[in-house]
Amino acid sequence: MRGVALPAPGLLALGGLCAVYVLLAVLPAARGSNLVLATSGGSPGWLLGPLRFAGASGADGPLAGPLFYAGLALALVLYVVVLARVRDVPPRVWIGAVVALHVLFLLAPPLLSQDVFSYIAYARLGSSHGLDPYTHSPMAIAADPAFRYAGSRGAKSVYGPVFTLLTYPLAGLGVAGAFWVLKAVAAAASLGIVGLVWRAARLLGRDPLPPALFVGLNPLLLVHAVAGAHNETLVVLVTMAGVVTFLSARRAAGAAIATAAAGLKASGAIVAPYLVLASRPRIRLALGAAVLAGIAVVLVALAGFGSHALDAIGILSSNQGRSSRWSFPYKTAQLLGAVLPGGRLDYRDPVRAVYGAALAVAVAWTLVRTWRGEDPLRMAGWATLAVLVASAWLVPWYVLWLLPFAALAADGRLRWLTVALCAWMLPIAIPLGRFGY
């Protein structure tokens, strides 16, 4: 009697990954869920979304955070297995899984962040109340319906002026309408990034499936960037449009598009210098195009909001004045405070200075390597990794800046370090209760 043929490991891993993702999307869709931070302002049906009918009634219990973290950790392990067994499953199945999972997290509630409601609050500040979001915080509109769900209520906007202007029309849709438009935009932009990574791999003469899956199945992308409707998806979409344009032998245009991404968020400016330096023998043309794009962004900022908006398109935004508890500078200062005299905060500023100096060296080294003919995508990937490691403010959705470049670079070390960074960032924003986070 012949033995029963078992499914291929890749197919089993994909099935397990999809099952975990379903649980992560569905179970938090419950009233008062502490995994949906915006429920602090209430739990209307439009906020929880269509998955609320299957949501768990105990999603606000003390174990919700630890269990969610365990699910994310399992998803990351399965994600690594999937990437190692790409050939076990037909490409159409992989593509279908990526699209289906994006739809799943589009329908999920806004997990682990209230940033999307901050976008809406800033839009309503300007469009509905005539206030400048770069000089006023949502505290100025405490009676507005968006205020109760917003996260950074006392902070002025740190987002790019182009993004802010694009959100202004959403104010007329109401909070619920604006929220779901931004969710749909984030999911569509994320899928667009996957498509552009596919196209870039083709232009590089490589198999496009592994890079596309490296990005499209990543748990931090789906759970944070898509479900949370973060504007990183738009920033990286524009950046990758510049990369694909560059690889299509339109180097000056590619550098200009990548530079324009800074109008959405300052992080968009990281990649442009590498594209400019790789534009030999027409570096001057590429540099001129990038400068013109930068000038256009500045003019939009000045015309729309005055000089205050320029702070938001600086590379070192006001976020660097804060520290997140899982940033590498914070953890280093914490460790020094434990083993050396004084408290951990005594070492915060010197540690930041050291990380800043190391970042400057890393950026200079990668720029020089690019000038000498190294792959600009690989060098931009290493520079982005350095930015994330040196940043005092580290949140999970920032990994999207790195994913496409780690996927496309012919550098196994960069990919593995990207996965390791994802593992490090898993606990961030998850309410782990007595376990801390």
Side-chain angles (χ1 to χ4, degrees):
M1 179 178 179
R2 291 184 179 180
V4 176
L6 295 176
L11 184 60
L12 290 173
L14 177 61
L17 182 62
C18 290
V20 172
Y21 279 148
V22 168
L23 293 175
L24 293 177
V26 170
L27 295 184
R31 294 183 61 83
S33 172
N34 63 356
L35 299 172
V36 182
L37 304 185
T39 58
S40 60
S43 301
W46 63 260
L47 172 65
L48 298 177
L51 301 184
R52 68 185 182 277
F53 300 110
S57 60
D60 59 342
L63 291 180
L67 288 174
F68 194 89
Y69 172 66
L72 261 182
L74 178 58
L76 186 64
V77 171
L78 291 170
Y79 164 76
V80 172
V81 175
V82 158
L83 295 177
R85 305 292 304 193
V86 170
R87 298 301 161 214
D88 289 352
V89 181
R92 65 180 181 278
V93 175
W94 289 122
I95 295 169
V98 169
V99 173
L101 290 171
H102 274 74
V103 173
L104 172 68
F105 284 99
L106 163 63
L107 299 178
L111 297 173
L112 304 170
S113 172
Q114 295 168 265
D115 280 7
V116 63
F117 295 104
S118 294
Y119 307 157
I120 296 169
Y122 293 130
R124 293 177 67 84
L125 261 169
S127 183
S128 302
H129 300 278
L131 300 175
D132 186 342
Y134 297 102
T135 59
H136 294 77
S137 74
M139 291 295 295
I141 55 168
D144 190 274
F147 179 80
R148 62 192 298 184
Y149 303 105
S152 303
R153 295 176 177 177
K156 294 174 285 188
S157 178
V158 297
Y159 306 111
V162 175
F163 174 76
T164 301
L165 289 173
L166 288 174
T167 61
Y168 270 24
L170 300 178
L173 302 178
V175 178
F179 165 67
W180 282 104
V181 167
L182 287 170
K183 283 273 283 184
V185 167
S190 182
L191 283 173
I193 294 166
V194 176
L196 289 171
V197 167
W198 182 288
R199 177 61 179 159
R202 289 272 195 191
L203 291 169
L204 291 168
R206 300 174 191 160
D207 182 354
L209 186 58
L213 296 181
F214 187 88
V215 177
L217 293 178
N218 184 274
L220 298 186
L221 167 74
L222 293 167
V223 171
H224 288 282
V226 176
H230 287 282
N231 62 6
E232 263 69 26
T233 55
L234 277 176
V235 176
V236 178
L237 178 70
V238 175
T239 301
M240 288 308 300
V243 168
V244 169
T245 303
F246 175 88
L247 294 175
S248 301
R250 291 174 289 165
R251 297 191 168 187
I257 293 170
T259 302
L264 300 171
K265 201 167 187 178
S267 56
I270 296 173
V271 176
Y274 296 89
L275 301 186
V276 169
L277 289 176
S279 296
R280 287 182 175 178
R282 309 186 73 182
I283 287 182
R284 290 183 180 179
L285 180 60
L287 178 60
V291 169
L292 288 175
I295 291 172
V297 169
V298 170
L299 291 176
V300 168
L302 293 174
F305 305 103
S307 61
H308 300 287
L310 298 180
D311 294 338
I313 57 177
I315 290 297
L316 297 177
S317 70
S318 61
N319 273 346
Q320 293 306 307
R322 302 185 288 169
S323 291
S324 57
R325 293 180 60 185
W326 281 88
S327 73
F328 289 93
Y330 184 94
K331 285 299 182 185
T332 302
Q334 189 177 47
L335 176 62
L336 290 176
V339 300
L340 296 176
R344 68 182 180 220
L345 296 182
D346 293 341
Y347 302 99
R348 185 171 59 184
D349 290 338
V351 165
R352 281 186 180 179
V354 170
Y355 272 93
L359 173 61
V361 171
V363 170
W365 176 76
T366 52
L367 288 172
V368 169
R369 294 286 299 275
T370 303
W371 172 259
R372 292 178 175 175
E374 283 280 356
D375 175 13
L377 303 188
R378 178 170 172 254
M379 292 297 99
W382 280 108
T384 303
L385 177 63
V387 168
L388 294 175
V389 170
S391 176
W393 186 253
L394 184 66
V395 286
W397 44 95
Y398 285 1
V399 80
L400 183 53
W401 307 349
L402 176 59
L403 284 175
F405 299 96
L408 291 169
D411 192 331
R413 292 175 303 168
L414 181 59
R415 284 193 293 275
W416 279 113
L417 284 173
T418 300
V419 172
L421 180 63
C422 289
W424 173 265
M425 297 166 79
L426 283 184
I428 300 175
I430 298 177
L432 295 178
R434 65 183 178 89
F435 299 98
Y437 67 93

